[in-house]
Amino acid sequence: MNQPFHGKTFGKSVKRSEDGRFLRGKGRYVDDVILPGQAYAAFVRSPFAHARIENIDVSAALAMPGVQRVVLGQDMVEAGLPPLPCGWMIHSSNGEPMKVGVRRALAVDAARYVGEPVALVIADTRDLARDAAEAVQVDYADLSIAGQMPDALAPGAVQIHDDIPGNLAFDWEIGNRAAVDTAFASAAVTVPLSLENNRLVPNAIEPRAINAHWDAVDEKLTLYMTHQNPIGIRMFLAAHYQLAAEHKLRVVSPDVGGGFGSKAPNYPEEVAVAFAAKLVDRPVKWTADRTEAFLTDAHGRDHLSDAELALDAHGRFLALRVDTRANVGAYLSASASLVPTYMYATMLSGQYVIPAIHARVRAVYTNTCPVDAYRGAGRPEAAYLIERIVNVAAETMGIDQAEIRRRNFIRQFPYQTPVVYEYDSGDYEKTLDAALELADYSGFEARKAESADRGKLRGIGVSAYVEACGIGPSAKLAALGGGAGMWDSAEVRVHPAGTVEVLSGAHSHGQGHQTTFAQLVADRFGIPFENISVVQGDTDRIQAGTGTYGSRASVGMSAALRACDQIIAKGKLIASHILGVDADRVDFEDGIFLSKDSNSTLSFGEMAYAAHMAAAFPTTEIEPGLVATSFFDPPNFTYPAGIYVCEVEIDPGTGVVDVVSFAAADDFGFVANPMIVEGQVHGGMTQGIGQALWEHARYDAESGQLVTASYMDYGMPRAGSVPNYNLVFSSTPSPVNPLGMKGCGEAGAIGAPPAVINAICNALDVRHVEMPATPEKIWKLCAEKGVL
Ligand code: SMO
């Protein structure tokens, strides 16, 4: 590809144009949408983790004045609605396709996790709907549960789905087992490590919500819903459920208050509400409360892994073997088969040359909320595993934790790992040096001594992460089992006045696209930033796209750049007529078309006006109007990478871990808006520190109740509990898109957990501590080691 496009404002910390409305409380979210005749929905949810549904009596609920209807799973079955789909086919190593437990939008025969929707009540007000939901009498026969891993895999475990013995969705492998075994046989050192990646709750500020309206006159279904991929979900709702034909189905995702992956799946509640709206001929709205969010937003992570690293006598990596059990919950959610396979095991090479890798992944059903993508989706689990085992290896061999990484870095790009991916670009050693300098790595011993004087244990932890973003090309994904195209589209409409609308298939849920897409277009056209509006999230306005996840805005932005370039090419033709010169003698710079041979010029605005006043050029040669569309399918993923250095101070008397400093050097390729990117990294790091220190979605082993289902029990990070982050960008441009961008959205959540745990292990001089490293756990360790 050519040199990446850079501009005057693109690459600068332009203030976010969306923040005016957010700061004034004027954001427009789904719950703000109130339609004429609005009705409200509430769900009846299973209080049991595993129960047979014997009878549902709706008479008391229906007798309440203002209650419109109670919808049951059976109604949906009779209407011919299929079960929920799981999007990505994985085959077990014996060739069998994955086993998908039947999941209905409303449970029919049995409920399999606490909070599973069983019935839907529609009423005139939200409170009435909730009261009526409590009046629905469901007779359950409580069954025993398979609530945890690894118990759910044990012989004789309770079977969750009748047709899935052993609770195993798939038993998949990747890499070369024989090569790994050979390497282990000749290794100087082998380092085993077993670890858990704790289950998390996504906790978007805006809970899931939908407002569904069936217009019986136009026979059109309009769904306002908070989602990361409005165009994609429309396709599902039309093609899979046939709720309406695609051209008669409109999905609008207005402002979205955080997604982190949890607003990418197709959920039962949204299907049920859309279905119900067609029955009652009134718009139906449902907004989850926080308890529903805890119980039913797809959870993240939840792996148990046994790993082993083989090294030669110089600390060079020879081979890695991994055996992971991934908890998928009671049902396979939309991308639940993809996350622990092609988004996890394929990242196990990390930033290192590891000649042989083998990973086995078993996806395990349990009586818990389904697990799906959550900020990083598989890549944090991979980075945590490899970055922990590398530190244990360093400790075992007496090599400094930065040095062992330096010895093993990939130095040649592109680099084909033994597990699918071909990394496009990077300079890991340069990034390491930048991080170590920022962290004052060499000054650590002095700081440790100073902490010790105050009775505190100080530790330092390094982590290196790499992830696969951008997601493409479509053909490669199809070869791996994915059905969907992973391109994105943009349409650029230039008005006669020279103002511009950019319609993008990417979708912002807090990332600031309204600003960054406008920066790009302003620079490309040489027109004021204020003259551009960015339109996203409405399928009646956006032709096509595949949404935002996987830090992939580079794909939508590249489409926007290409559409701009089509406009400029056409503008040159128009300008050649007006300026009276050959088209190849017209340049375009800074918003001005100019003749290479004379002083004559035409501004972008004048050209836009002329494009709509067709007298300015022969319409036999050039069509009037100024609209361009581009579909961009990247030739490869992008591979953002970074090095994080965390310092903690531990109070052995209380077990409290204080993250005292956090330095990060990230290679995101070209950075469109450093302020916005820093904000995203801060958020990701805070989520990563949250996972390392406090967050844990815990189910009671006997009852299958989520015991951390509120902010009283689930430890969220707070602004006061994280340090001021020290960031530096250490960029190498990606060659796979015309902007040189790689993506930044997930980095912090991937790199932070191992950096924190490495620092804690360093401080306490222990081999491993499981996340979350709560004060109780740390205090006990301190007591055991006698440092109290
Ligand atoms: S977990 Mo992200 O929306 O790929």
Side-chain angles (χ1 to χ4, degrees), residues 502-576:
V502 188
L503 294 85
S504 170
H507 183 53
S508 184
H509 12 103
Q511 298 94 330
H513 291 189
Q514 182 182 310
T515 303
T516 48
F517 278 65
Q519 283 177 263
L520 169 69
V521 174
D523 279 2
R524 196 71 190 103
F525 288 158
I527 61 174
F529 177 79
E530 295 72 29
N531 288 4
I532 298 151
S533 49
V534 178
V535 182
Q536 303 191 335
D538 181 347
T539 62
D540 266 11
R541 299 217 57 208
I542 318 293
Q543 184 191 347
T546 55
T548 301
Y549 41 83
S551 302
R552 60 178 253 117
S554 64
V555 181
M557 274 200 178
S558 296
L561 180 72
R562 287 188 164 188
C564 289
D565 287 346
Q566 290 177 39
I567 296 282
I568 290 166
K570 184 168 181 180
K572 283 184 177 174
L573 290 179
I574 294 169
S576 78

Side-chain angles (χ1 to χ4, degrees), residues 420-715:
V420 175
Y421 289 135
E422 186 189 80
Y423 297 172
D424 66 337
S425 61
D427 187 338
Y428 301 151
E429 190 157 26
K430 182 182 92 171
T431 308
L432 176 68
D433 288 336
L436 296 181
E437 193 192 324
L438 194 64
D440 183 23
Y441 191 71
S442 55
F444 172 71
E445 288 304 328
R447 293 191 294 279
K448 185 181 169 81
E450 190 275 329
S451 296
D453 288 344
R454 289 183 284 108
K456 302 282 176 66
L457 304 168
R458 197 174 184 107
I460 191 163
V462 176
S463 82
Y465 76 87
V466 55
E467 62 158 332
C469 297
I471 315 196
S474 299
K476 189 166 191 169
L477 287 145
L480 298 179
M486 293 293 170
W487 43 267
D488 219 317
S489 89
E491 183 179 331
V492 172
R493 296 182 182 171
V494 184
H495 306 141
T499 57
V500 176
E501 278 177 297
V502 188
L503 294 85
S504 170
H507 183 53
S508 184
H509 12 103
Q511 298 94 330
H513 291 189
Q514 182 182 310
T515 303
T516 48
F517 278 65
Q519 283 177 263
L520 169 69
V521 174
D523 279 2
R524 196 71 190 103
F525 288 158
I527 61 174
F529 177 79
E530 295 72 29
N531 288 4
I532 298 151
S533 49
V534 178
V535 182
Q536 303 191 335
D538 181 347
T539 62
D540 266 11
R541 299 217 57 208
I542 318 293
Q543 184 191 347
T546 55
T548 301
Y549 41 83
S551 302
R552 60 178 253 117
S554 64
V555 181
M557 274 200 178
S558 296
L561 180 72
R562 287 188 164 188
C564 289
D565 287 346
Q566 290 177 39
I567 296 282
I568 290 166
K570 184 168 181 180
K572 283 184 177 174
L573 290 179
I574 294 169
S576 78
H577 280 280
I578 294 174
L579 300 177
V581 296
D582 287 345
D584 62 359
R585 305 302 298 161
V586 178
D587 270 342
F588 180 68
E589 255 173 52
D590 265 352
I592 305 287
F593 294 92
L594 64 164
S595 162
K596 291 181 186 177
D597 307 312
S598 71
N599 287 332
S600 51
T601 61
L602 189 73
S603 72
F604 181 82
E606 289 167 326
M607 182 279 294
Y609 185 73
H612 295 85
M613 301 299 138
F617 50 85
T619 55
T620 48
E621 244 176 68
I622 307 169
E623 287 182 5
L626 207 50
V627 177
T629 303
S630 172
F631 287 68
F632 180 72
D633 194 23
N636 192 358
F637 289 72
T638 61
Y639 296 90
I643 306 283
Y644 291 177
V645 183
C646 172
E647 268 181 56
V648 299
E649 208 173 56
I650 294 171
D651 182 339
T654 61
V656 168
V657 177
D658 192 7
V659 178
V660 287
S661 80
F662 205 112
D666 287 294
D667 179 0
F668 299 135
F670 179 68
V671 173
N673 183 319
M675 181 189 69
I676 286 179
V677 169
E678 282 168 11
Q680 292 195 34
V681 177
H682 289 178
M685 284 174 167
T686 304
Q687 281 174 312
I689 294 173
Q691 170 166 30
L693 294 183
W694 307 290
E695 295 187 47
H696 195 185
R698 286 182 55 189
Y699 282 90
D700 178 71
E702 254 107 73
S703 67
Q705 297 291 332
L706 182 64
V707 293
T708 53
S710 81
Y711 291 130
M712 298 290 285
D713 304 300
Y714 186 89

